[in-house]
Amino acid sequence: MGEPVHSTLRRRRGRPLAAAACGLLVAAAVAGCSSGPAGPPVLNFYTPADNATGYAAAAEACTQAANGRYVVTQQTLPKAADDQRLQLARRLVAGDPEVDLVGLDVTWTAEFAEAGWIEPWPDDAAAAVEKGTLEGPLETARYQGRLWAAPLNTNTQLLWYRKDLAPQPPQTWDQMIQMSEGLHDQGLPSYIEVQAAQYEGITVWFNTLLTSAGGQIVSENGDVLVDDGDAARKATSIMQRVASSPASDPSLSVAQENDGRLQMEAGVAAFQVNYPFVNASINTPPPDGGGGGTFIDEQGRPTSEDTGRRVVDVFAWAPYPRVDPDKPATVTIGGLNIGVSSTGGNQDLAFEAAICLRNREAQLTNATQGGVPPTLSELYDDPAFQAEYPASQAIRDSLENASVRPKTPAYTSISIVLADLLNPPAQIDPDTIVPRMATEVERAVNSEGLVP
């Protein structure tokens, strides 16, 4: 396995070990280990199920580009991120030599690096990845000063709003709450849609508000910082006000990304913070999309009558609302990175293949056919990408001011305890929750107690 970040011990596992075992078996006259002609090394590339066809196409293209030196074979992981992580972890812990390249959720980089499941990138390969890659996605691949993965796709949130209800989009959360309550007083659609259910989405919402206010949950060294200054109090105060406002969506405490999208398409939401897939959805006919949303009347209320005007006709985007009026929001970014397994036996070829798998053509295909924003800055000027993402400039701007999730192996545990404390957001007490968060995050960092 690879070298854990804080360990001097290193034990290689993988194909050399398997080959040695095979040799012993041959010596014992057991047939079957060396049958067939030797071919080029096969590099297995494990990816999420979403956009699997795009990753498979890139694998095929890189196999052709390798000109017989290696073959890249795409392998599909389960659809759910937790199931993907579990399967990869089990195989890497077991020293599986058939795992060469792994598609990593950006939240796993520190954990996989700390465990020694992935290899740090050599200087020359790291320089090739860093050239032309947006800084926000690049930061998700770094840990303890080294590059541990190559950003393949990224994602960020924007403010999506109804321009008939808000001709000038709000620039801050304070403005958005005031505008929402003003719409409610007029009997107009007023909901602010956010990810407030008890899952990682509410942790992401909190992290964005916290970092936008100048705070941080935990350092890379495990120092708990969430209770430093008043950033956490500002963040939790906004969450409580959004959820407890008379203008709020009564189902907000169970809302995830798709719930907000559906409320906007149904004509009852005025604002939502969400990922760019909502724009593709509202512009896609059923059953794959929202078909433009419901009809709306002259005042903007949803109606079953054919008024000739739908939600899509007044649907617009703007930068994510600020916490500090003088500073852009630092939106927590997502995405997928490529890591080189420490259990495969062809790391040098795997680094070369990983660079190919995230090249310009592969990322453009993933963006236009898979709907995931690229990490290469030059693609944001490409007409093909701009056609797929009309909000491409806003996405790029958001990525350039991005924040990342806490870079710690304990992130999964931290997210679980924070989601439990922050949900339901209407019951948050900003005066008491911050010290509790600090205590629980400290326990999660130290792997103490049971998570909820």
Side-chain angles (χ1 to χ4, degrees):
M1 297 179 75
E3 185 178 6
V5 173
H6 297 302
S7 173
T8 58
L9 298 178
R10 183 186 185 92
R11 183 162 70 98
R12 283 280 184 188
R13 302 176 68 175
R15 283 174 182 157
L17 179 61
C22 191
L24 290 173
L25 291 175
V26 170
V30 178
C33 287
S34 59
S35 61
V42 176
L43 304 176
N44 289 302
F45 176 32
Y46 285 82
T47 76
D50 289 342
N51 192 43
T53 56
Y55 303 134
E60 175 63 25
C62 292
T63 296
Q64 296 296 321
N67 196 27
R69 293 188 301 112
Y70 59 81
V71 172
V72 183
T73 301
Q74 184 270 338
Q75 307 284 356
T76 302
L77 292 166
K79 193 172 184 64
D82 287 346
D83 294 335
Q84 295 164 23
R85 174 186 166 277
L86 186 60
Q87 184 175 126
L88 287 175
R90 284 175 171 170
R91 299 188 68 162
L92 293 168
V93 165
D96 190 336
E98 301 302 322
V99 180
D100 299 285
L101 295 154
V102 289
L104 300 172
D105 187 290
V106 294
T107 65
W108 304 340
T109 303
E111 178 188 12
F112 278 51
E114 190 76 28
W117 296 339
I118 53 176
E119 294 283 335
W121 281 60
D123 290 345
D124 56 344
V129 169
E130 291 167 349
K131 184 178 181 181
T133 300
L134 293 167
E135 185 58 31
L138 200 54
E139 193 58 29
T140 68
R142 294 185 177 127
Y143 179 60
Q144 299 286 353
R146 304 185 73 174
L147 189 73
W148 290 88
L152 176 57
N153 307 322
T154 187
N155 219 341
T156 189
Q157 293 192 335
L158 300 176
L159 170 64
W160 307 90
Y161 71 101
R162 291 266 303 270
K163 59 186 179 184
D164 59 330
L165 302 173
Q168 295 297 322
Q171 294 187 345
T172 67
W173 282 92
D174 286 341
Q175 291 176 2
M176 186 158 65
I177 294 169
Q178 291 171 7
M179 293 169 75
S180 170
E181 293 177 347
L183 292 168
H184 172 74
D185 291 343
Q186 300 173 61
L188 296 173
S190 62
Y191 294 169
I192 298 172
E193 297 296 336
V194 294
Q195 294 78 54
Q198 187 178 333
Y199 77 125
E200 204 237 348
I202 195 170
T203 303
V204 169
W205 182 24
F206 171 70
N207 190 63
T208 293
L209 296 175
L210 178 72
T211 57
S212 297
Q216 186 177 355
I217 295 174
V218 63
S219 75
E220 284 192 44
N221 294 325
D223 300 324
V224 177
L225 305 173
V226 69
D227 56 343
D228 282 6
D230 63 349
R233 191 182 188 288
K234 288 182 179 177
T236 53
S237 175
I238 289 172
M239 298 174 80
Q240 190 272 337
R241 289 168 57 203
V242 169
S244 62
S245 165
S248 68
D249 182 348
S251 62
L252 196 68
S253 64
V254 294
Q256 301 188 17
E257 288 85 350
N258 266 317
D259 301 301
R261 171 184 68 84
L262 292 171
Q263 292 291 64
M264 178 66 82
E265 292 176 355
V268 295
F271 311 98
Q272 66 169 321
V273 288
N274 215 329
Y275 297 97
F277 82 99
V278 301
N279 188 48
S281 173
I282 201 169
N283 284 285
T284 301
D288 296 326
T294 192
F295 290 111
I296 53 177
D297 64 20
E298 291 184 0
Q299 288 72 44
R301 300 182 182 89
T303 175
S304 58
E305 296 181 12
D306 183 352
T307 61
R309 192 169 75 135
R310 292 181 179 270
V311 174
V312 70
D313 298 316
V314 293
F315 189 65
W317 62 84
Y320 194 100
R322 302 178 177 196
V323 174
D324 184 334
D326 297 323
K327 298 179 181 177
T330 53
V331 183
T332 306
I333 57 174
L336 188 73
N337 297 333
I338 303 176
V340 171
S341 158
S342 58
T343 63
N346 297 289
Q347 275 85 7
D348 289 344
L349 293 177
F351 282 117
E352 179 182 333
I355 291 173
C356 176
L357 290 166
R358 64 177 300 275
N359 66 19
R360 186 183 193 283
E361 291 72 25
Q363 292 204 28
L364 184 58
T365 299
N366 292 338
T368 57
Q369 298 182 18
V372 286
T375 61
L376 296 176
S377 60
E378 65 175 296
L379 280 173
Y380 286 82
D381 299 322
D382 190 300
F385 176 71
Q386 292 174 352
E388 186 69 18
Y389 283 94
S392 60
Q393 185 58 51
I395 294 171
R396 181 175 186 166
D397 292 344
S398 182
L399 291 171
E400 290 179 345
N401 293 304
S403 63
V404 299
R405 293 166 171 85
K407 295 198 287 186
T408 165
Y411 175 71
T412 300
S413 297
I414 290 173
S415 176
I416 290 172
V417 298
L418 288 181
D420 179 66
L421 288 171
L422 293 167
N423 180 272
Q427 296 182 13
I428 291 173
D429 182 347
D431 291 327
T432 61
I433 195 173
V434 177
R436 292 179 60 200
M437 295 169 75
T439 299
E440 294 301 322
V441 170
E442 181 81 37
R443 288 166 59 82
V445 168
N446 294 328
S447 301
E448 295 174 352
L450 298 175
V451 296

